[in-house]
Amino acid sequence: KPTIWTMVHLCTTAGHTAVSPVAYSVYGMSRCGSGHIEEGYQSGRIALQLTEYTLGQTMRGKVLEQLGGFISHWKEHAKTSIQQFEQGLQSGLEVGDIEYACHSAKNACAHLVLLGIPLEQVQQKQLSYIELGEQLSQQHILIFAKIWRQLTLNLIGQSDGPSARPWLLVGESFDEQAMLPTLKEKNNYFSLYVIYFSKQMLSYLFGQIDQAIENTRILESYSEASLGSLKSVVQNFYTSLILLAAYRQSATTSSESQ
């Protein structure tokens, strides 16, 4: 954080350079993540405006990915992020910033399934992003995108796990039983967050409240991975639903035992 504050200070006192848009967007991410929404949002808007000038155009893909992932949804409808990810993907590809182009694709895979878009459309779009990551040899996008697609497939009844256990991420796109040991061994923090976030949703939606409580407990240990993102908002929503369901379950059990 001190580095970002220093970069923004230098931009405002000494003038802008080609990397200035990213300084403002990362500062905006930090401020939104710490609850300073208005300041963070305005910093993000400045970052985007700077990419409209020749000096900052090469940073446009990065800025759009950061706006869509961590800033815009605090002040705009979350569906705006999908357009920003699409633009970020295109901008990244145009200037050769393949890494951040694929970051946009990866985050779009998450937001698509969280925004109420018809799930059959979602899984097809997610598949297209996975194929792009494979074509560009960007391994970092693949595991995230495959987890989100498996979540989508489970929700539309296309998991390959035992029919009575659709809250497990096992199917065509991802197999948690095969991957979890390796990811834990490597302490793949962000992938583990996405897995347990997905499992939290699935276990609640399929009525497995005890399992949902356990997934929520595990998810909390990885929650910094979602700081400032739309996922953090949805996580809090499902955590509240799970605690309320657990209370009702406990109250019913207590009443029946009397």
Side-chain angles (χ1 to χ4, degrees):
K1 289 182 180 179
T3 301
I4 295 301
W5 293 336
T6 300
M7 289 177 68
V8 172
H9 176 71
L10 288 172
C11 289
T12 58
T13 57
H16 295 119
T17 68
V19 299
S20 293
V22 174
Y24 284 104
S25 60
V26 173
Y27 180 75
M29 290 167 54
S30 174
R31 299 307 285 164
C32 287
S34 60
H36 299 85
I37 304 301
E38 188 62 38
E39 183 180 353
Y41 180 78
Q42 293 304 326
S43 184
R45 301 315 298 177
I46 292 172
L48 187 60
Q49 290 172 8
L50 289 174
T51 65
E52 296 175 359
Y53 298 96
T54 302
L55 189 64
Q57 286 179 352
T58 57
M59 298 292 110
R60 189 171 179 82
K62 288 183 173 67
V63 168
L64 285 164
E65 185 272 334
Q66 292 163 351
L67 282 173
F70 302 94
I71 297 175
S72 294
H73 61 273
W74 294 110
K75 295 279 287 184
E76 303 174 34
H77 195 292
K79 288 184 178 179
T80 302
S81 65
I82 301 300
Q83 181 180 3
Q84 291 172 328
F85 291 141
E86 289 283 359
Q87 292 174 349
L89 171 60
Q90 187 61 39
S91 294
L93 293 176
E94 287 175 355
V95 300
D97 190 351
I98 303 302
E99 179 183 359
Y100 267 84
C102 287
H103 276 306
S104 282
K106 173 191 72 179
N107 285 326
C109 286
H111 284 216
L112 284 166
V113 74
L114 299 177
L115 291 176
I117 299 169
L119 292 175
E120 185 58 41
Q121 296 178 26
V122 169
Q123 73 92 7
Q124 289 292 337
K125 191 66 175 176
Q126 290 169 330
L127 180 59
S128 72
Y129 288 135
I130 290 170
E131 291 172 346
L132 174 66
E134 291 172 341
Q135 292 169 9
L136 297 175
S137 300
Q138 293 293 301
Q139 294 300 314
H140 67 90
I141 180 185
L142 295 178
I143 187 167
F144 289 92
K146 288 180 178 181
I147 295 168
W148 289 116
R149 183 165 181 262
Q150 190 58 54
L151 168 62
T152 306
L153 292 173
N154 279 35
L155 291 173
I156 58 179
Q158 295 185 22
S159 63
D160 292 343
S163 59
R165 304 172 71 189
W167 52 91
L168 296 180
L169 290 164
V170 178
E172 171 194 331
S173 186
F174 185 79
D175 185 345
E176 66 169 87
Q177 296 172 335
M179 293 298 297
L180 265 175
T182 300
L183 294 172
K184 288 180 177 179
E185 181 181 352
K186 294 181 177 180
N187 194 28
N188 194 320
Y189 190 86
F190 292 97
S191 296
L192 290 168
Y193 172 82
V194 175
I195 289 172
Y196 283 105
F197 175 82
S198 299
K199 287 169 67 66
Q200 181 197 46
M201 290 180 61
L202 289 171
S203 53
Y204 172 77
L205 292 171
F206 286 103
Q208 302 299 307
I209 303 306
D210 290 340
Q211 188 63 53
I213 292 170
E214 177 63 13
N215 287 329
T216 299
R217 183 190 65 79
I218 298 172
L219 180 60
E220 286 297 323
S221 63
Y222 300 108
S223 59
E224 287 190 9
S226 68
L227 190 63
S229 71
L230 179 63
K231 296 183 289 294
S232 68
V233 179
V234 179
Q235 176 189 336
N236 288 339
F237 173 68
Y238 273 93
T239 297
S240 298
L241 291 177
I242 289 164
L243 292 175
L244 288 169
Y247 172 77
R248 289 195 300 270
Q249 181 173 279
S250 176
T252 300
T253 302
S254 178
S255 176
E256 291 175 349
S257 65
Q258 292 179 356

